[in-house]
Amino acid sequence: MFRSHYDSDVTVWSPQGRLHQVEYAMEAVNLGTATVALKTEDFAVLVALCKPSSELGISLPKIISIDSHVGISIAGITADARLLSRYLRTECLSYKHSYSTIYPVQRLVTNLGNKLQITTQRYDRRPYGVGMLLAGYDEKGAHIYQVMPSANVLICKAMAIGARSQGSRTYLERNLSEFKTSSMHDIIVHGIQAVSRACPLDEELKIAVGIVGKDQPFKLLSSVECDAYLELAKTSERHETPPETPAETVEPSAVPSDIDPTSTGFSEEI
Amino acid sequence: MSSSSDSEISRRAGTDDDFDETDIDSDDSVSNIDMNFNPYEYNGGTVTGIAGEDFVVIACDTRFSNEETVLLTEHSKLFQLLPMAVLGSTGCWADVLGFMGLVKERIQLYEQKHNKPMTTEALANMMMIAMYAKRFYPYLVLNILAGLDANGKGMLYTYDPVGFFETVPYTAAGVAGQMLMPILDNQVAFENTNIPPEQQPELTIKRAVSITKDAFRTASERDIFTGDWVQILIITKQGIEEDSMELRHD
């Protein structure tokens, strides 16, 4: 994306029919570390690559629980993600309070999409700079949704977003047929394999895993459990990272982790 | 009054403005305000609690009534809010449900924000704040919170409708609450008795449950709004056990 005359405002169309500001916002997602979502018949799994922005810190939370049946994984501006996760949480709580049942996942993401769309059509607001993968389980089964700053909400069988995620997406495409009938353990292993494609080979693989499904409220796996799955994943083959396409090439020294301009960390009161 | 202010009154009758003093004496466009409307209904019920060293026993009767008649006979007034905390609530049932909804929301929010389970002490304090927020139009709820604190010690908190709370070793709330307090004073704390300390039996779970059952049987004899069944929950580190006893159904 190069500077053009039509990119100063989100309310300005280009002659080609594009909203450049929205497209620039989508680039913010690629600055976050990779995260992957996939599902079986009964479970939806989120796996995220955790890389701190500097050696002095720890990585910011990538996977956030929203309710007992929904969790999200984010890539992009963490501050925006914090706001959106607070919004999703209060929406779910409010629905549960009013109707005594969980918020159907499809309606929740549509609600979120509508909220995001407002920011793409107002001169005084900017699009949220965070992409998210939403994993949910309700009476219609397991769901994966991708929500982008453009307010597009996509239903996915599996998806990867973030820096260098093209390799992960290729892995997911190649193994898609296996996912539906996988066991819970196998699908987590697939997720780890997929996300490892986005991690340079010389770096240690640090991950976070979230799982939700039948008789399984949303749960973030502990570090002990994550290590156990990492071991399990090592026993399967790990391929060389495929060559990156020119658009994806990012200098290793550029910050390939979630943007946190204020560095206040996630543990503060949202 | 002029015709323009007549139409203004009619329009305002559907808003919160219709409790304005000046409307009451005006013409029949606002005659549908019922000045005898009581927002609270009294649904009866009694709850008791006895706390021991490492346990709490909380019990309720299961009669649900309004002032005229018994509506339900198997209606529990105990809510398990945390793995080791149970709330017993009587009073106006609509307010109990409304308050419960609020408390459940706050618990979930707390656990999501802090990433750890809520403690009984935190819950007790949070309930006070939630109730005081409605200081000038209170929840007509008489609460007893029973639970184990972070060290496994039995804790019992008693509340008034606007949020005052304190830790007590035993308590009774609800329609027969005032009737049962002297019994608990006598049997749990041995107040006003001549039994010397060395002869006072230890407060075990068995004794606490036995006192509770006796208390409810006594209350159901004298108080018309208490009866049917007693539901007893015994909270220990191992979990929550349930016991029950049938009372007179009259």
Side-chain angles (χ1 to χ4, degrees):
Chain A
M1 301 294 129
F2 301 112
R3 294 222 48 201
S4 79
H5 295 299
Y6 307 100
D7 65 354
S8 56
D9 245 319
V10 82
T11 56
V12 175
W13 288 96
S14 81
Q16 287 76 39
R18 292 154 68 165
L19 289 168
H20 285 298
Q21 277 295 307
V22 175
E23 292 178 21
Y24 296 163
M26 304 275 275
E27 290 299 311
V29 179
N30 293 334
L31 290 172
T33 56
T35 171
V36 144
L38 49 171
K39 65 176 179 173
T40 72
E41 197 73 63
D42 293 328
F43 293 97
V45 167
L46 298 164
V47 184
L49 202 60
C50 294
K51 191 193 155 84
S53 50
S54 88
E55 280 192 17
L56 297 172
I58 57 166
S59 76
L60 293 165
K62 295 272 292 178
I63 302 182
I64 300 161
S65 94
I66 300 297
D67 199 354
S68 57
H69 67 302
V70 167
I72 61 170
S73 178
I74 54 135
I77 301 179
T78 315
D80 285 0
R82 207 155 61 210
L83 208 79
L84 289 180
S85 62
R86 178 169 55 168
Y87 176 75
L88 288 171
R89 281 173 173 174
T90 48
E91 286 294 296
C92 283
L93 259 182
S94 176
Y95 190 98
K96 201 189 281 190
H97 184 233
S98 304
Y99 305 109
S100 220
T101 182
I102 52 173
Y103 207 141
V105 184
Q106 202 230 321
R107 301 234 295 274
L108 178 65
V109 291
T110 309
N111 183 339
L112 181 66
N114 290 339
K115 179 180 162 72
L116 261 47
Q117 191 278 338
I118 296 168
T119 62
T120 66
Q121 210 171 4
R122 289 187 64 111
Y123 70 93
D124 56 348
R125 307 240 343 237
R126 62 159 176 83
Y128 289 98
V130 59
M132 61 173 78
L133 296 174
L134 194 137
Y137 186 83
D138 60 13
E139 59 179 17
K140 292 215 167 113
H143 305 276
I144 303 277
Y145 287 93
Q146 179 190 10
V147 183
M148 298 304 271
S150 56
N152 271 333
V153 173
L154 305 170
I155 308 172
C156 308
K157 297 175 191 170
M159 181 49 75
I161 58 173
R164 289 191 282 267
S165 55
Q166 183 54 51
S168 305
R169 278 195 290 276
T170 314
Y171 177 92
L172 293 173
E173 280 166 25
R174 290 208 185 117
N175 294 283
L176 197 56
S177 51
E178 286 179 36
F179 294 161
K180 199 160 183 195
T181 50
S182 286
S183 71
M184 189 185 91
H185 306 293
D186 283 339
I187 201 74
I188 297 177
V189 168
H190 273 304
I192 295 174
Q193 301 281 28
V195 93
S196 68
R197 300 287 185 274
C199 182
L201 277 175
D202 57 349
E203 268 179 32
E204 199 199 330
L205 192 61
K206 280 205 202 93
I207 55 164
V209 180
I211 179 153
V212 66
K214 194 169 181 188
D215 303 323
Q216 172 67 58
F218 185 84
K219 180 180 152 187
L220 263 170
L221 296 190
S222 67
S223 51
V224 171
E225 287 169 308
C226 283
D227 287 342
Y229 277 109
L230 275 170
E231 282 304 311
L232 200 62
K234 274 188 196 149
T235 59
S236 322
E237 245 186 323
R238 190 183 162 186
H239 304 286
E240 294 283 305
T241 318
E244 292 170 326
T245 56
E248 296 286 338
T249 307
V250 176
E251 279 299 303
S253 56
V255 182
S257 53
D258 296 297
I259 301 164
D260 177 33
T262 59
S263 300
T264 55
F266 198 78
S267 54
E268 281 179 14
E269 174 86 346
I270 296 174
Chain B
M1 289 203 171
S2 72
S3 58
S4 62
S5 53
D6 273 358
S7 53
E8 205 203 322
I9 291 168
S10 316
R11 187 168 43 82
R12 283 170 65 210
T15 69
D16 285 343
D17 291 330
D18 53 6
F19 286 105
D20 191 346
E21 279 295 312
T22 57
D23 285 351
I24 293 169
D25 296 322
S26 74
D27 62 322
D28 37 284
S29 52
V30 287
S31 61
N32 46 2
I33 297 173
D34 178 1
M35 296 309 291
N36 296 319
F37 171 67
N38 179 12
Y40 296 114
E41 186 176 273
Y42 295 87
N43 294 121
T46 309
V47 181
T48 64
I50 301 176
E53 203 39 63
D54 55 357
F55 68 90
V56 200
V57 170
I58 183 170
C60 70
D61 75 323
T62 59
R63 176 168 292 175
F64 181 73
S65 41
N66 63 24
E67 277 160 56
E68 307 156 349
T69 171
V70 173
L71 298 168
L72 296 170
T73 55
E74 288 174 48
H75 183 260
S76 169
K77 296 160 187 67
L78 301 179
F79 301 87
Q80 185 181 356
L81 295 178
L82 301 174
M84 71 331 237
V86 171
L87 176 65
S89 270
T90 64
C92 171
W93 197 250
D95 281 356
V96 168
L97 292 178
F99 181 65
M100 209 51 49
L102 210 100
V103 166
K104 283 187 179 157
E105 277 193 357
R106 295 267 184 104
I107 293 174
Q108 184 170 334
L109 265 175
Y110 179 103
E111 296 192 343
Q112 278 175 337
K113 283 186 189 182
H114 296 85
N115 230 354
K116 73 175 182 109
M118 199 168 189
T119 59
T120 312
E121 300 99 312
L123 174 60
N125 215 311
M126 182 264 275
M127 276 174 50
M128 167 187 72
I129 310 263
M131 295 172 86
Y132 197 81
K134 292 257 292 165
R135 170 68 177 79
F136 298 110
Y137 195 166
Y139 292 109
L140 192 72
V141 189
L142 302 163
N143 283 325
I144 294 178
L145 179 67
L148 301 177
D149 75 358
N151 302 319
K153 182 164 172 287
M155 301 294 279
L156 201 57
Y157 301 93
T158 181
Y159 291 79
D160 80 352
V162 286
F164 163 70
F165 80 106
E166 62 179 351
T167 316
V168 284
Y170 57 86
T171 185
V175 283
Q178 305 290 59
M179 202 187 286
L180 290 182
M181 275 312 274
I183 298 177
L184 296 179
D185 282 337
N186 184 284
Q187 292 293 308
V188 180
F190 301 104
E191 281 179 29
N192 311 313
T193 65
N194 290 326
I195 305 174
E198 57 275 13
Q199 287 182 23
Q200 291 172 5
E202 192 198 334
L203 186 63
T204 58
I205 295 179
K206 204 158 161 220
R207 183 170 161 79
V209 171
S210 162
I211 294 172
T212 306
K213 287 181 174 173
D214 286 347
F216 271 98
R217 208 181 297 122
T218 314
S220 72
E221 293 290 333
R222 289 287 183 180
D223 180 49
I224 54 174
F225 295 107
T226 306
D228 294 317
W229 270 278
V230 187
Q231 184 194 15
I232 304 170
L233 292 183
I234 305 149
I235 307 169
T236 58
K237 247 190 196 158
Q238 281 72 43
I240 302 187
E241 263 177 58
E242 196 170 330
D243 193 3
S244 69
M245 182 182 75
E246 196 161 350
L247 296 171
R248 283 162 69 107
H249 294 282
D250 63 1

